[in-house]
Amino acid sequence: MRAVVERLRVITARAARVELVLRHAEVEAVSGFGMTWFVEGCGATAHRAEQRWSEALDLALAVTMQARL
């Protein structure tokens, strides 16, 4: 998660925000951790807000998937 945060901090994104939450998780009786992420975008119009959100979501997903390597 730290690697994801470090990578996201250097990306310039206008009118967008990504929040990460580390939480305890259990899958099939195996204890571990999970990450929940919230992606927000805003704009002067609904269309612009959706564009900003979509851009932020794409960036956050790409960074998150790269960090797992």
Side-chain angles (χ1 to χ4, degrees):
M1 221 167 114
R2 286 185 180 144
V4 172
V5 170
E6 288 174 15
R7 289 179 181 164
L8 286 172
R9 282 188 180 169
V10 298
I11 296 173
T12 302
R14 296 185 59 209
R17 176 183 176 131
V18 177
E19 294 181 30
L20 305 174
V21 177
L22 181 66
R23 58 184 169 70
H24 178 265
E26 190 171 309
V27 176
E28 297 181 6
V30 177
S31 187
F33 295 93
M35 181 178 76
T36 301
W37 45 293
F38 301 92
V39 180
E40 301 172 12
C42 60
T45 66
H47 178 70
R48 178 62 70 189
E50 185 177 350
Q51 283 180 320
R52 297 294 186 214
W53 174 79
S54 179
E55 292 165 3
L57 183 63
D58 288 344
L59 284 170
L61 179 59
V63 169
T64 301
M65 295 307 291
Q66 287 174 356
R68 64 182 255 259
L69 300 175

